[in-house]
Amino acid sequence: MARGNARKSERDCGRAEPSSSERVVDRRLDLPRSFRDKSIHDVWGPNGPAALLRRLAQEHELGRLAPRQLTKDELAQLVELYEDEPLPKALRHLVVLELRNQRPARPGRKTGLNSIQRLEQDLLPSVYGRAMRAAAWLRKRLLQREERKLRWQTKELVPSQTELAMDFVRSRLPSTRALDDKTIANRLSAIKDPSEKKPRAKAAKR
């Protein structure tokens, strides 16, 4: 009996068997076609898709309460796995939320700002005000330059005053360099004095 068990162990040597919980999840995973005939080791190994697909299933079921949400790069990896075939419903739903910037973030304690970030946050309104004035001057000259071009010269689209101002802000405040225009605008709105905010237009009565 012991010899039989030993021979069985030798045959199984090198094969990564998932835990019982993983096998349950494995039955729910919508594997790409390229992995449906692969061994368990290929599916659950370091280069296999099962770990990411398991986290996809968890996030689809639990939302922001999932133990570990997928990153943008991991979402891209999953999309590439389903080349020439429809995306699973869970993956398609998550990608749509990500593209629309509606994907709920995992709850957690907000990290505080350091002294430099707090200083730059306080400076943001004044820097933005100067940026808008500089952007108005710059845009006027960019428009004049495009108007002076000859017919055979390609005319370029001149950015809006706000877009030019946001570039100016990013060049002056390092903490904003990784932020897009919308995020900077939201930060400005959040720290603006309530008396300076324009009242929202009331919906017309039917």
Side-chain angles (χ1 to χ4, degrees):
M1 183 70 179
R3 291 178 182 176
N5 291 336
R7 285 195 296 271
K8 185 176 184 301
S9 297
E10 290 176 359
R11 289 196 304 269
D12 293 341
C13 181
R15 295 180 60 186
E17 284 288 336
S19 66
S20 58
S21 61
E22 288 176 339
R23 285 195 292 270
V24 171
V25 177
D26 187 37
R27 289 196 293 269
R28 295 183 296 144
L29 299 183
D30 190 352
L31 290 172
R33 292 170 186 165
S34 57
F35 279 89
R36 289 176 187 173
D37 296 328
K38 300 287 186 180
S39 66
I40 292 179
H41 179 72
D42 291 329
V43 174
W44 285 94
N47 298 322
L52 289 179
L53 289 172
R54 178 177 59 181
R55 287 169 53 198
L56 171 66
Q58 291 174 339
E59 187 167 350
H60 181 65
E61 294 175 3
L62 303 176
R64 64 178 184 172
L65 298 179
R68 186 182 169 198
Q69 289 184 323
L70 293 165
T71 64
K72 293 181 180 179
D73 182 63
E74 289 168 339
L75 279 177
Q77 293 179 42
L78 286 175
V79 171
E80 290 175 343
L81 286 174
Y82 292 90
E83 185 178 5
D84 299 327
E85 61 179 299
L87 296 180
K89 180 180 178 181
L91 179 57
R92 184 173 64 252
H93 176 69
L94 199 57
V95 169
V96 169
L97 289 179
E98 182 66 41
L99 291 175
R100 290 177 174 169
N101 200 27
Q102 296 175 349
R103 189 174 168 200
R106 179 171 171 79
R109 185 176 62 183
K110 294 183 179 179
T111 57
L113 301 176
N114 58 39
S115 56
I116 295 178
Q117 290 172 330
R118 285 196 297 270
L119 175 61
E120 290 191 358
Q121 181 173 274
D122 294 337
L123 291 173
L124 180 57
S126 61
V127 171
Y128 179 72
R130 292 197 301 271
M132 285 293 287
R133 292 191 292 272
W137 176 88
L138 177 59
R139 189 170 191 272
K140 181 178 179 181
R141 277 143 187 81
L142 291 175
L143 289 171
Q144 291 173 347
R145 185 188 66 182
E146 295 303 314
E147 291 173 355
R148 287 195 297 266
K149 283 185 175 180
L150 302 177
R151 290 184 179 180
W152 55 269
Q153 292 179 309
T154 303
K155 291 189 176 182
E156 300 178 1
L157 182 65
V158 177
S160 67
Q161 181 181 351
T162 301
E163 289 173 331
L164 292 171
M166 291 300 184
D167 287 339
F168 182 89
V169 169
R170 280 187 283 266
S171 69
R172 293 295 184 272
L173 302 177
S175 63
T176 64
R177 287 174 185 169
L179 305 178
D180 58 22
D181 293 357
K182 183 177 180 181
T183 303
I184 297 176
N186 288 340
R187 287 194 175 186
L188 281 165
S189 179
I191 61 179
K192 187 181 293 184
D193 189 283
S195 61
E196 298 177 1
K197 295 183 179 180
K198 295 180 180 180
R200 292 184 177 181
K202 295 182 179 180
K205 295 182 180 180
R206 294 183 179 179

